[in-house]
Amino acid sequence: MEFVEIHPPDSFHPSLSKENFDIRDFMGTWYVAHSTLPLWKNKKDVAITYTPFSLDSSSDFSPRLLCFKDVVEYRAEGASSSSKPSRVEGIDTLLPAPSNAPSHFSPAASYKWRGKGLLMIASSYWQFLGYSSSWAVTYFSKTLFTPAGIDIYVRDGENGLSEELYDEIMRKLAALGGNVGKISKGMFQVKRSASGDL
């Protein structure tokens, strides 16, 4: 089975540093397969697409400030699978190293999200806790409007995670204990329309 490594929030583990974590590998579309966030309980077909964007208007990541576009699409649980999905756009910006970070640690896995348009006043903080080329576990800090939560992303929206891999991810989350272990107990599968209906 695939090796699974999950870290607590705000970890300084080398796998979450710029030396080992290349955010460019995570550009493109991910599907939210499982979540603890209440806002996805009555939604389906949740997908997040990340696209390079830089504040200096170049076509790639800014060398000064790493940021990228973030587009979330979803349908209401009872909506037709052929209906146009709802869409939320934002921009994610890499957070600097906190003051207690080791001097050699260059962060790469923690971001601030800010909405665009009418949601410009909304913001949140999120980070990767673990990842591979086919799945990722993300942690979202508590905001004024939403509780802290965990998402499990997959590249393959149709097939999702194998039962064995899901169980291993959940085991590792529970083993972290604390708030993450507690939150993970509320994990549920995010609904998805049948592949033939999309």
Side-chain angles (χ1 to χ4, degrees), residues 6-35:
I6 306 291
H7 306 285
D10 306 318
S11 170
F12 300 131
H13 191 273
S15 66
L16 302 175
S17 69
K18 285 183 179 178
E19 288 74 22
N20 298 294
F21 184 95
D22 191 341
I23 192 61
R24 289 174 294 187
D25 294 337
F26 289 86
M27 296 297 100
T29 300
W30 291 87
Y31 301 92
V32 181
H34 302 269
S35 182

Side-chain angles (χ1 to χ4, degrees), residues 36-89:
T36 69
L37 292 168
L39 75 160
W40 299 138
K41 281 195 172 181
N42 61 349
K43 306 294 190 302
K44 65 179 181 180
D45 305 332
V46 182
I48 304 176
T49 300
Y50 300 124
T51 308
F53 171 82
S54 66
L55 297 182
D56 59 7
S57 300
S58 66
S59 60
D60 205 346
F61 296 104
S62 166
R64 296 180 294 103
L65 184 63
L66 181 62
C67 55
F68 48 91
K69 297 178 183 178
D70 178 321
V71 177
V72 179
E73 294 183 302
Y74 61 89
R75 293 183 176 91
E77 184 178 2
S80 165
S81 57
S82 60
S83 63
K84 183 177 181 180
S86 297
R87 182 182 177 100
V88 176
E89 297 185 35

